[in-house]
Amino acid sequence: MAKMFKGAENAFKVRLSIRTALGDKAYAWDTNEEYLFKAMVAFSMRKVANREKTEISHVLLCNVTQRVSFWFVVTDPSEKHTLPAVEVQEAIRMNRNRINNAFFLNDQTLEFLKIPSTLIPPTDPPVPIWIIIFGVIFCIVIVAIILLILSGIRQRRRKDKGPSEVDDTEDKCENTITIENGIPCDPLDTKGGHVNDAFMTEDERLTPL
Amino acid sequence: MALAPGPDLLGDGSGDERPKWDNKLQYLLSCVGFAVGLGNIWRFPYLCQTYGGGLGCFTVSSLIGIYYNTVLTWVLWYLLNSFQNPLPWSACPPDRNLTGFVEECQRSSSVSYFWYRQTLNVTADINDSGSIQWQLLVCLVASWAIVYLCIIRGIETTGKAIYFTALFPYLVLTIFLIRGLTLPGATEGLTYLFTPKMQILQNPRVWLDAATQIFFSLSLGFGGHIAFSSYNPPRNNCKKDAVTIALVNSMTSLYAAIIVFSVLGFKAANDHGRCLDRNILSLINAFDFPDQSISRDDYAAVLAHLNVTQPERVAGLGLESCHLEDFLDKSASGTGLAFIVFTEAILHMPGAPGWAVLFFGMLFTLGLSSMFGNMEAVITPLLDMGVMPRWVPKEVLTGVACLSCFLASIHFTLHSGNYWLEVFDRYAASLNLVIFAFLEVVGIVYIYGMNRFCDDVAWMTGRRPSLYWRVTWKVVSPLLLLTIFVAYIALLARAPPSYRAWNPQYDQFPTQQENVYPGWVQVTCMLLSFLPVLLVPAVALAQLLVRHRRKKKAALQDMHLKPQDSGAC
């Protein structure tokens, strides 16, 4: 086996982070787990054309460390040559999900160091969410603007009609100002059109040059 | 003799009287909302961390109104994108082969990628305008619509809107305070903020920055405060109002700084932890230690041991140096703080979308209340000058103002829009305001006359201003403003103005590339800085000419009248 691994182009390093993935529920990595791994790799190879005869004994593991990491290689039925890396890579990629699930791990905690994982394609909803919320807010704003403009128009129409009616009543009110000796009793009555000295506009205060 | 009321006086009273605030609270909230803006949240805490001038005003306010709403557009875009879990800036999008992440995102960060690529789609150079970013254009329309809705009838509508837009930020700040203080790492951030760096206080630049910050923070020189105050009754205790607004503004900045720093402390602690984790993983993988065997606390001891026993292997790993102070030092201000640093911090809080909605909602209402002040400073002079005939309703005037500003601000939705925004922010909104404020103070104190002004204040508030006010008006304020102005000019003259560009082709990416502004942009900067100011002497000259012509006319009329008078006598 050492001879085959010396070649090492068709060998893959695998790294597991069981404690990171499972915390307290982490299982120990023993020979049984290794057997399962070999079985999963053999299963993946059997799905490739021309490799349906791959057996568990064709998968060889080596250099298992405490980390947990190890190297593996798949041999052909004659057990003299290793299968090309491209085929093994293809097989593992196609069945990556099932291999992960067998060990309760994912792409980050069960790493095949030379095999890039296929990322989940982004699931875009047909209409991006922001457009929906934008539509809602925009409609509310437009409706509010229209309401305000309409109410403004109505107010102005009422005011235009208003003063002609209000004028008569105000005249009557003016006539009830008590007049003694020809002088109105309430000199600060602004409705009478007197200028209130307390309120001077800026132009009047600043004497022109 | 009873004076009969004239019909025209009665008719005039109803439609055309000057609008009034419903109550004092509306006025104060409007001024506070105008003064308290985005700068309180993202400029003041940055400064804490590093150390320890009527037509001119109108022009400046219009220029600022144009670009300020672009910031609101960005905030609105982020707000709309916050209603999903996971947040769109939490992960890099995968590239086309689905084998890895987009390279630009991987080299920088998912948050920076979302800001520079997916939001702004920024070009590498200000010369390269690119096309319009339609998502931003759509958000721009919405934010101008919201501004129009709130200012449609002047202070009648802003007065109602201000209750929400001025108070909501304080509510959110308080919620963030409670959340921020309970986050791990918050205390480190706060101790960092409140520990003064004594040697840095000796740098005059600190004091210059402090003076400019408080000046701009109060939003002086825009004409906004003048516009708001013109709707007050004439006998109004303006002294108390001024002190209140200044105090509230400063307290808000401090309050915001506490919150920003507790969140930044949390982010720094988080980044520091992840830096350690990355190093620990490298060690575990290289030396085949069991998974999770080195905790963050053991890391230092284990590293020291390995450095002694196998130094070459350790050196070959390329471990990062993880110091908490380095992460705390990563200061940011302005758009960097809001859209990059804070958004990343929010990602790590449980319930991230909710916090993102609150944060961007707060920024939006803050900016909105400042926009009210800006637009009032534009619309009130237009109304007072009688630009539109009387029969045109106010809604049309505000609509036209908003529409013109909107059309002008479309330019900022181009791909190079962010660079242009920096140009406007740095040049349109800085020197002009200092000069206007200086001219206002000097004009009132020295030309109008300190005594006359004190008489006016006594008439309004019932008491003459004390020595403190008179000294500050006469000496301290003009001096400070002059110093700020001179310092600004000196700093600008020192080096050709440059900007930092986001260029993925740059070899030191993600560090931004320092480019010098091309000639025509520099000319634009100069125009933005000085054109509004030049309006002051220009208008003065125009008024002189008008008065001169009036005098001539009056003199001519006198000459025509004189023979008639002698005839009557």
Side-chain angles (χ1 to χ4, degrees):
Chain A
M1 216 203 306
K3 247 196 300 184
M4 284 182 210
F5 275 89
K6 275 235 170 83
E9 320 127 345
N10 298 331
F12 291 90
K13 183 164 183 186
V14 180
R15 195 188 290 147
L16 288 94
S17 312
I18 307 172
R19 205 168 280 282
T20 310
L22 302 170
D24 293 330
K25 302 202 197 97
Y27 50 81
W29 185 259
D30 53 17
T31 42
N32 296 327
E33 305 286 344
E34 287 177 26
Y35 191 83
L36 176 58
F37 184 81
K38 292 189 208 175
M40 294 305 296
V41 173
F43 162 77
S44 309
M45 288 314 300
R46 286 166 85 111
K47 290 213 150 170
V48 174
N50 292 337
R51 300 286 173 209
E52 289 89 346
K53 296 283 194 283
T54 315
E55 298 289 336
I56 292 182
S57 50
H58 296 152
V59 181
L60 307 166
L61 261 59
C62 185
N63 267 8
V64 182
T65 64
Q66 283 242 340
R67 168 65 183 79
V68 176
S69 67
F70 50 83
W71 290 82
F72 79 92
V73 87
V74 187
T75 61
D76 63 359
S78 66
E79 293 198 15
K80 291 222 186 89
H81 309 286
T82 58
L83 294 186
V86 185
E87 278 191 36
V88 180
Q89 181 167 319
E90 193 54 44
I92 303 272
R93 278 192 88 178
M94 301 242 279
N95 299 289
R96 190 62 187 272
N97 216 19
R98 295 194 69 172
I99 302 178
N100 287 348
N101 284 336
F103 294 97
F104 304 121
L105 301 171
N106 59 31
D107 280 359
Q108 283 77 45
T109 41
L110 171 54
E111 300 167 73
F112 287 84
L113 285 189
K114 273 188 292 182
I115 305 180
S117 49
T118 311
L119 297 170
I120 308 170
T123 49
D124 289 325
V127 180
I129 294 182
W130 73 269
I131 291 188
I132 298 174
I133 303 185
F134 168 81
V136 169
I137 294 182
F138 198 58
C139 286
I140 295 178
V141 170
I142 295 292
V143 166
I145 290 179
I146 293 176
L147 283 177
L148 276 175
I149 292 181
L150 286 177
S151 79
I153 295 177
R154 221 179 298 144
Q155 253 181 22
R156 218 163 286 115
R157 264 197 223 133
R158 230 185 283 146
K159 265 197 215 146
D160 287 337
K161 278 193 233 142
S164 49
E165 301 158 1
V166 176
D167 252 345
D168 307 324
T169 48
E170 292 228 334
D171 270 331
K172 292 197 192 111
C173 287
E174 291 307 313
N175 290 335
T176 58
I177 294 177
T178 44
I179 301 171
E180 287 196 337
N181 296 341
I183 303 168
C185 276
D186 196 359
L188 286 180
D189 185 353
T190 48
K191 282 195 295 232
H194 301 270
V195 171
N196 185 353
D197 289 327
F199 183 96
M200 281 199 292
T201 56
E202 284 224 339
D203 303 308
E204 297 170 19
R205 250 197 288 141
L206 296 170
T207 49
L209 293 167
Chain B
M1 265 184 295
L3 288 167
D8 38 304
L9 284 168
L10 280 175
D12 250 356
S14 37
D16 282 41
E17 64 177 38
R18 195 170 186 76
K20 286 207 249 312
W21 297 105
D22 284 347
N23 52 54
K24 196 58 181 293
L25 183 63
Q26 273 189 359
Y27 165 64
L28 280 178
L29 284 180
S30 296
C31 283
V32 164
F34 177 54
V36 172
L38 299 168
N40 291 72
I41 303 293
W42 71 33
R43 256 232 293 235
F44 178 76
Y46 163 68
L47 286 175
C48 266
Q49 182 171 16
T50 11
Y51 321 93
L55 196 50
C57 274
F58 165 78
T59 322
V60 171
S61 287
S62 332
L63 286 175
I64 291 170
I66 292 172
Y67 86 80
Y68 202 82
N69 217 14
T70 310
V71 182
L72 276 187
T73 305
W74 295 338
V75 174
L76 185 64
W77 162 257
Y78 267 81
L79 178 63
L80 293 175
N81 273 297
S82 303
F83 287 94
Q84 46 189 299
N85 194 14
L87 291 167
W89 55 84
S90 57
C92 279
D95 64 14
R96 236 170 266 156
N97 311 348
L98 295 180
T99 50
F101 297 119
V102 172
E103 193 199 327
E104 188 183 345
C105 186
Q106 205 146 17
R107 287 172 72 186
S108 53
S109 71
S110 61
V111 183
S112 308
Y113 181 74
F114 186 77
W115 168 237
Y116 284 107
R117 191 53 54 210
Q118 290 175 312
T119 304
L120 298 176
N121 202 356
V122 72
T123 53
D125 197 318
I126 196 174
N127 271 318
D128 185 7
S129 297
S131 53
I132 293 187
Q133 184 78 338
W134 70 267
Q135 296 104 318
L136 287 185
L137 184 66
V138 153
C139 289
L140 186 71
V141 171
S143 54
W144 273 113
I146 294 176
V147 171
Y148 179 55
L149 170 67
C150 294
I151 64 169
I152 191 168
R153 276 200 227 137
I155 64 164
E156 197 185 315
T157 38
T158 50
K160 308 285 187 310
I162 203 73
Y163 284 119
F164 178 70
T165 59
L167 292 175
F168 180 67
Y170 287 101
L171 176 67
V172 175
L173 277 177
T174 311
I175 296 176
F176 262 96
L177 179 73
I178 301 172
R179 171 76 274 206
L181 289 178
T182 51
L183 285 170
T187 37
E188 277 89 16
L190 284 174
T191 37
Y192 192 71
L193 166 67
F194 286 114
T195 315
K197 295 185 193 165
M198 280 313 189
Q199 65 273 34
I200 297 185
L201 281 176
Q202 297 165 8
N203 183 358
R205 187 74 196 273
V206 182
W207 302 101
L208 173 67
D209 277 343
T212 39
Q213 166 60 20
I214 198 60
F215 175 75
F216 293 121
S217 174
L218 287 169
S219 308
L220 301 170
F222 288 77
H225 285 292
I226 297 180
F228 280 144
S229 308
S230 72
Y231 296 112
N232 274 334
R235 281 196 195 271
N236 176 46
N237 195 347
C238 49
K239 206 174 10 169
K240 196 165 70 159
D241 293 339
V243 173
T244 311
I245 293 167
L247 270 179
V248 170
N249 186 55
S250 297
M251 289 298 119
T252 308
S253 290
L254 280 171
Y255 194 49
I258 296 177
I259 294 152
V260 167
F261 272 92
S262 42
V263 174
L264 287 185
F266 158 71
K267 178 177 184 300
N270 211 301
D271 288 345
H272 174 65
R274 281 188 299 146
C275 177
L276 283 178
D277 286 342
R278 283 195 296 272
N279 283 354
I280 290 175
L281 197 63
S282 308
L283 282 180
I284 287 181
N285 286 345
F287 291 93
D288 283 325
F289 294 135
D291 187 27
Q292 298 276 330
S293 53
I294 308 178
S295 73
R296 286 184 189 169
D297 302 321
D298 299 332
Y299 168 71
V302 170
L303 183 63
H305 178 249
L306 284 174
N307 256 330
V308 167
T309 48
Q310 304 184 57
E312 324 82 35
R313 270 187 87 180
V314 172
L317 286 176
L319 296 174
E320 309 165 39
S321 71
C322 299
H323 297 294
L324 187 59
E325 293 76 31
D326 293 340
F327 293 106
L328 284 170
D329 268 333
K330 283 212 191 106
S331 59
S333 79
T335 53
L337 177 69
F339 298 117
I340 298 185
V341 175
F342 230 77
T343 42
E344 203 187 321
I346 287 178
L347 282 177
H348 301 295
M349 292 189 208
W355 295 108
V357 167
L358 274 180
F359 177 64
F360 290 111
M362 172 185 76
L363 285 188
F364 191 72
T365 45
L366 277 173
L368 201 61
S369 49
S370 296
M371 271 307 285
F372 295 163
N374 261 321
M375 294 312 287
E376 266 322 304
V378 168
I379 288 169
T380 305
L382 285 179
L383 273 176
D384 289 346
M385 285 195 297
V387 160
M388 291 248 189
R390 279 282 193 79
W391 51 268
V392 174
K394 188 184 245 187
E395 287 89 334
V396 173
L397 178 62
T398 44
V400 167
C402 285
L403 189 65
S404 355
C405 287
F406 161 69
L407 290 172
S409 56
I410 290 183
H411 178 253
F412 294 110
T413 54
L414 288 173
H415 291 157
S416 57
N418 188 34
Y419 302 133
W420 281 107
L421 198 116
E422 279 175 13
V423 167
F424 269 69
D425 188 36
R426 255 188 257 170
Y427 298 102
S430 48
L431 273 176
N432 297 314
L433 298 173
V434 180
I435 297 177
F436 285 146
F438 179 73
L439 290 175
E440 278 171 20
V441 168
V442 164
I444 290 185
V445 168
Y446 290 100
I447 300 180
Y448 181 66
M450 173 67 87
N451 281 325
R452 254 157 99 192
F453 187 62
C454 290
D455 290 338
D456 293 335
V457 174
W459 180 86
M460 283 192 283
T461 66
R463 228 186 305 161
R464 283 185 77 85
S466 66
L467 183 66
Y468 164 74
W469 294 98
R470 278 181 279 146
V471 167
T472 40
W473 287 331
K474 221 169 180 142
V475 178
V476 181
S477 295
L479 207 61
L480 272 176
L481 287 169
L482 205 59
T483 320
I484 295 176
F485 174 70
V486 167
Y488 244 83
I489 299 270
L491 281 168
L492 278 179
R494 210 193 286 175
S498 62
Y499 66 104
R500 300 228 303 261
W502 179 263
N503 186 3
Q505 318 301 335
Y506 186 44
D507 35 336
Q508 290 177 41
F509 184 78
T511 316
Q512 297 192 36
Q513 187 180 21
E514 193 96 20
N515 286 349
V516 174
Y517 282 123
W520 62 282
V521 176
Q522 292 196 17
V523 170
T524 318
C525 296
M526 287 296 118
L527 280 177
L528 282 175
S529 301
F530 292 113
L531 210 59
V533 178
L534 289 178
L535 281 174
V536 173
V539 168
L541 209 68
Q543 283 202 338
L544 259 173
L545 284 173
V546 164
R547 206 162 281 151
H548 187 72
R549 218 176 286 157
R550 243 190 250 159
K551 265 200 205 148
K552 259 202 194 159
K553 234 200 213 170
L556 280 170
Q557 279 186 345
D558 278 342
M559 285 188 3
H560 286 302
L561 284 171
K562 272 209 182 102
Q564 285 186 12
D565 277 347
S566 51
C569 284

